[in-house]
Amino acid sequence: MRLRLPRLLLGLTCLLIAVWLVAPTLVVIPMSFADKKSLAFPPTGFSLQWYENFFTNPQWFGSLVTSAKVAVMVALVATVIGTMAAIGIERMKSRTGGLIRAVLITPMIVPGVVLAVGVYAVYLDTQLVGTWAGYVLAHTLLAIPFVVIAVGANLAVFDARLETAAASLGASRLKTFFTITLPLILPGILSGALFAFVTSFDEVIVSLFITSPQLKTLPVQIFSSMTRDADPTVAAVGSLIFMATSLIIGLGLIFGTRRRGA
């Protein structure tokens, strides 16, 4: 009985914290079904017009497509660069490697507004404002640190003797990398790619500085809508993103549980 009471209190505390964290997100869902053009909670009626507006309005759906395309490209570029950087840093095993690592994660430390102003100043001279290349380069700069950290965590527990054993058996460095190193650090690479995708898809500060009327990402469209009018389409977008994220995380947990069970 004495042991059950602390466990019960701990479980109740965890439940309350979870509710406190999720509650603001859950409030958005009923607001997305409002029948009036206002962000009011609770809504006075029920309507699906804001979901319809999201998929039929070229500005909203176009910004979603733009964000998805940019995020995919950023995930690919940042994963390749970040993985190579993490491997190089791990191989150096010196103060220089630590210094390079500190430089690579600087975008996570520097305030977003400061970084956005710097990127904007450079882009004005290079004609990259409002271009696909501009978005990909800027978002990749922000995403690389997450890949370096994720891959570096896997490399920290990687047994380098496996590579030595493969080399002693006649495997080339390239073959050793693809048959030994890559499969073992693949979880870190996939995690880094996911973080890179989310970082790009959710980025708003830098995107506000380099956006254009012809090329606008979803976070910028949401920000513009909130500053211009109280359009419940924002709530519909938030609800769709929340459900998609929950589905992905749920599938990942189920897959991970089955994999560990097997």
Side-chain angles (χ1 to χ4, degrees):
M1 182 65 182
R2 292 180 179 178
L3 294 176
R4 291 180 61 184
L5 184 59
R7 291 181 180 178
L8 181 61
L9 292 176
L10 181 60
L12 182 60
T13 302
C14 293
L15 178 62
L16 291 176
I17 293 175
V19 171
W20 178 60
L21 292 173
V22 178
T25 305
L26 296 179
V27 169
V28 175
I29 297 177
M31 293 171 60
S32 66
F33 296 103
D35 61 339
K36 297 180 180 178
K37 193 175 183 179
S38 62
L39 291 171
F41 181 83
T44 57
F46 180 85
S47 175
L48 295 174
Q49 60 178 314
W50 309 116
Y51 288 92
E52 180 183 358
N53 182 56
F54 172 68
F55 288 104
T56 58
N57 190 314
Q59 290 185 344
W60 280 105
F61 193 73
S63 63
L64 172 64
V65 174
T66 299
S67 288
K69 289 181 178 179
V70 171
V72 170
M73 289 186 285
V74 169
L76 293 174
V77 177
T79 300
V80 173
I81 297 176
T83 299
M84 292 190 297
I87 294 175
I89 292 171
E90 183 65 23
R91 295 291 189 271
M92 296 178 83
K93 295 289 187 180
S94 63
R95 292 183 179 180
T96 305
L99 180 61
I100 295 175
R101 178 185 175 87
V103 172
L104 289 175
I105 65 174
T106 298
M108 298 179 62
I109 305 172
V110 177
V113 174
V114 176
L115 190 62
V117 172
V119 171
Y120 179 70
V122 174
Y123 278 17
L124 282 179
D125 295 332
T126 55
Q127 305 294 322
L128 288 174
V129 175
T131 63
W132 287 97
Y135 273 115
V136 173
L137 290 174
H139 289 190
T140 299
L141 176 68
L142 299 172
I144 286 178
F146 294 96
V147 181
V148 171
I149 292 175
V151 178
N154 270 77
L155 288 171
V157 297
F158 176 75
D159 190 354
R161 292 176 298 180
L162 296 173
E163 293 181 332
T164 304
S168 66
L169 294 174
S172 63
R173 289 188 177 183
L174 189 62
K175 188 173 183 180
T176 299
F177 174 77
F178 282 105
T179 59
I180 303 296
T181 309
L182 184 60
L184 292 176
I185 66 173
L186 187 59
I189 295 176
L190 294 178
S191 298
L194 180 60
F195 278 116
F197 180 90
V198 173
T199 300
S200 173
F201 193 85
D202 194 49
E203 168 55 38
V204 61
I205 299 178
V206 174
S207 298
L208 281 171
F209 279 78
I210 62 175
T211 190
S212 69
Q214 295 76 26
L215 196 63
K216 187 180 297 184
T217 60
L218 185 59
V220 173
Q221 178 64 27
I222 292 175
F223 183 84
S224 300
S225 178
M226 290 299 297
T227 55
R228 185 177 61 251
D229 53 20
D231 189 351
T233 305
V234 173
V237 174
S239 300
L240 291 172
I241 294 176
F242 172 73
M243 289 185 288
T245 304
S246 301
L247 179 61
I248 293 173
I249 294 176
L251 292 176
L253 292 175
I254 293 174
F255 177 77
T257 302
R258 289 183 178 179
R259 188 175 182 179
R260 286 193 296 268

